[in-house]
Amino acid sequence: MDAVVVGAGHNGLVAAILLADAGWDVVVLEEQPRPGGAIFSDRTLHPDYVTDWFSAFYPLGAASPVLSALDLDRCGLRWSHAPAVLAHVLPDDRCALMSRDVLATAASLDNFAAGDGAAWIGLVEQFERIREPFLNALFTPFPPVRAGLTLARGMGVADLLRFARFALQPVRRAGEELFNGEGGPLLLAGNALHTDLPPEASAGAAYGWLLAMLGQTVGFPVPVGGSSGIVDALINRLKAAGGEVRLNTPVRRLDVVGGHVRGVHTADGEYIATRTVLADVAAPFLFDSLIGAEHLPARLLADLRHFQWDSPTMKIDWALSAPIPWAAEDARRAGTVHLGADMNGLTRYASDLATRTVPRNPFLLLGQMTTSDPSRSPAGTESAWAYTHVPDGVEYTPALIADHVERVEAVIEARAPGFISSVAARNVQSPADLQAADRNLVGGAVGGGTANIHQQLFFRPVPGLGRPETPVDGVYLASSAAHPGGGVHGAPGANAARAALRRAGLAGRAWRRALDSAYGRIYR
Ligand SMILES: Cc1cc2nc3c(=O)[nH]c(=O)nc-3n(C[C@H](O)[C@H](O)[C@H](O)COP(=O)(O)OP(=O)(O)OC[C@H]3O[C@@H](n4cnc5c(N)ncnc54)[C@H](O)[C@@H]3O)c2cc1C
């Protein structure tokens, strides 16, 4: 076998497609009985409702140059949009609404403070100018030399410096500099909290800005029929290229000899010989379990002890007999709703998480899936979910989880009286449930590791090169644990595949020698 991909998450599938396109014989081994990792939908909660069990909205996917290049629309992927992208509902029922029509977003923000609409339009115009080189720089391995130079040439040094300053700010500070009212800052801060970046985290502005600008320009689309539409399209694409996926096949160990990979051992005792392994797995699992400490530099193992997961997550899915009756009418049109906190509330929620206190006032990310795609449930009903972060270091007993579900539902009921009486079916996924469904979601972490700046770029997953190569020749980290991190965009998978193809090329040996010498300087 030319290459084995461990894990059929979307990153593993993207990696396999690129290798199969290059004519490689490639197999993807997946331990679960279904492919897709944290992308999966079905009708098991209620036969009339499609439930997205993990990820649901795909702004990064729609904007990703990696996924666009795969022509997934030709393999059956179709996108749907809610009438409005996102609503942030404040505790007093005011609402900041992001629509794909920038003037409509601006009008909503002007309700908070005159002039904030113009500030938003300025931000969007700047994003449109740098969008292509910025996304190319983000989605290529570190350092993004070519895309970075294009970005620098396009912006000019003076603007680039100011943009870097803006991006490195905490999102609270960035919001205060840009806007006078609460609406604009909350659109940025709520988006930053799609990761584990609270209002006071350094560089929270970068993520909040990116997701908000993508929401404004490409929307928060969902696949028609359920999130699994993405996986079905990737599998169709892989099969057309000649690749294969084997389910129910956990990989337990890589065969490493003298610093080179020689094959993989599956849990049921099968051995597959190969010189290339792309691992769509959690970083600590790859290094500690699949490769093993004896094959790795001591310094890398020491760095791994500092690897930080993002916060645990609890997710609730509902089949609702009616749309959610938001008092803030604008929220009825939005696919994604943020609620439970204004800016100070977000800070208090984050400080609860930091101090290992289960928040009494949880902040929620909520999805209205039938509003986003009418095929998800019968007309006049809603397929909905909400997730919220909870602290680590806490034992999530059934009683604690039940309490927290009550709190989450109370937050929604307070802004949409009548919500609870519309619940026809409910399922709760605790942090442990999430991990049981996909071992990469360690402790309920959704991002493959914190998105804080100390674990991004060339610090991801440990201080090093920010690249998919590992100190073991032929082994590549292809999951969201690698730069540029979590979300459905396919970049870690594509970067790993391209690195494997480069190694097989003419300059491959020289490249590997250069890498070995760099690893020697970093880890020994
Ligand atoms: C609740 C939740 C909500 C989210 N919401 C969004 C969202 O709306 N939009 C968005 O863009 N992102 C969202 N994300 C994040 C996004 O889903 C992930 O970043 C992305 O799916 C990661 O893809 P991946 O391929 O790296 O890993 P995964 O999707 O985790 O796939 C890894 C696969 O590898 C398999 N595997 C692991 N170890 C082994 C082994 N030893 N042998 C064989 N197979 C193995 C696993 O079973 C799994 O199938 C969300 C995540 C969660 C959990």
Side-chain angles (χ1 to χ4, degrees), residues 146-426:
R146 198 178 310 160
L149 283 175
T150 313
L151 187 63
R153 263 201 306 272
M155 288 186 95
V157 174
D159 280 352
L160 190 62
L161 271 176
R162 281 168 185 83
F163 174 71
R165 176 189 171 278
F166 162 77
L168 287 171
Q169 286 176 308
V171 71
R172 178 193 283 268
R173 175 68 200 159
E176 285 167 357
E177 287 190 359
L178 284 165
F179 303 103
N180 291 312
E182 288 170 272
L186 282 174
L187 288 185
L188 299 180
N191 275 299
L193 271 162
H194 283 238
T195 65
D196 59 337
L197 297 174
E200 279 71 31
S202 298
Y207 203 91
W209 165 85
L210 174 63
L211 214 50
M213 292 301 105
L214 289 179
Q216 183 60 72
T217 53
V218 300
F220 274 22
V222 305
V224 172
S227 57
S228 282
I230 296 178
V231 181
D232 295 344
L234 286 168
I235 297 270
N236 289 342
R237 179 71 176 71
L238 177 60
K239 285 187 177 154
E244 182 198 349
V245 180
R246 283 169 53 188
L247 303 175
N248 300 305
T249 310
V251 172
R252 283 289 165 261
R253 191 86 183 162
L254 305 188
D255 180 23
V256 178
V257 180
H260 305 269
V261 70
R262 290 290 175 255
V264 307
H265 295 277
T266 69
D268 56 12
E270 190 185 352
Y271 180 79
I272 302 174
T274 183
R275 299 287 168 119
T276 307
V277 173
L278 292 88
D280 182 10
V281 309
F285 183 74
L286 170 64
F287 293 116
D288 286 336
S289 302
L290 289 185
I291 294 176
E294 66 277 22
H295 299 295
L296 291 166
R299 200 122 185 236
L300 183 148
L301 296 169
D303 288 340
L304 261 188
R305 305 282 85 83
H306 299 145
F307 180 84
Q308 184 184 344
W309 289 105
D310 41 311
S311 301
T313 306
M314 197 177 98
K315 181 166 187 279
I316 311 172
D317 296 283
W318 297 279
L320 302 176
S321 61
I324 302 179
W326 301 105
E329 296 246 338
D330 275 350
R332 299 182 183 192
R333 297 189 288 129
T336 301
V337 182
H338 296 161
L339 76 155
D342 56 13
M343 190 68 81
N344 288 342
L346 291 178
T347 296
R348 282 191 285 270
Y349 162 77
S351 95
D352 281 346
L353 297 180
T355 54
R356 298 194 165 168
T357 309
V358 179
R360 298 214 69 74
N361 299 301
F363 168 68
L364 311 184
L365 290 162
L366 184 145
Q368 307 194 105
M369 304 318 297
T370 312
T371 300
S372 306
D373 165 19
S375 77
R376 302 295 182 94
S377 70
T381 69
E382 187 73 72
S383 171
W385 56 260
Y387 77 68
T388 186
H389 292 299
V390 288
D392 63 9
V394 171
E395 190 191 343
Y396 289 98
T397 60
L400 185 55
I401 290 166
D403 270 3
H404 210 54
V405 171
E406 259 182 43
R407 261 180 229 143
V408 166
E409 294 194 343
V411 169
I412 306 170
E413 182 75 16
R415 307 276 64 81
F419 160 76
I420 290 178
S421 64
S422 74
V423 174
R426 158 195 305 108

Side-chain angles (χ1 to χ4, degrees), residues 441-453:
L441 309 178
V442 175
V446 301
T450 184
N452 270 289
I453 191 70

Side-chain angles (χ1 to χ4, degrees), residues 5-13 29-32 34-39 53-61 194 207 249-252 280-282 285 290 313 315 385 387 429 434 437-441 444-448 478-481 485-489 492:
V5 176
V6 184
H10 84 286
N11 276 315
L13 294 173
L29 306 180
E30 166 57 51
E31 77 171 326
Q32 297 288 338
R34 56 163 187 90
I39 311 176
W53 292 106
F54 310 99
S55 54
F57 291 97
Y58 299 103
L60 292 165
H194 283 238
Y207 203 91
T249 310
V251 172
R252 283 289 165 261
D280 182 10
V281 309
F285 183 74
L290 289 185
T313 306
K315 181 166 187 279
W385 56 260
Y387 77 68
Q429 292 186 88
L434 288 169
D438 174 351
R439 74 161 65 225
N440 286 18
L441 309 178
V446 301
S479 71
S480 61
V488 174
H489 44 73

Side-chain angles (χ1 to χ4, degrees), residues 74-97:
R74 289 212 203 153
C75 303
L77 177 62
R78 282 191 303 133
W79 295 113
S80 177
H81 290 267
V85 180
L86 183 155
H88 193 118
V89 179
L90 282 84
D92 58 6
D93 288 324
R94 283 177 302 150
C95 176
L97 187 72

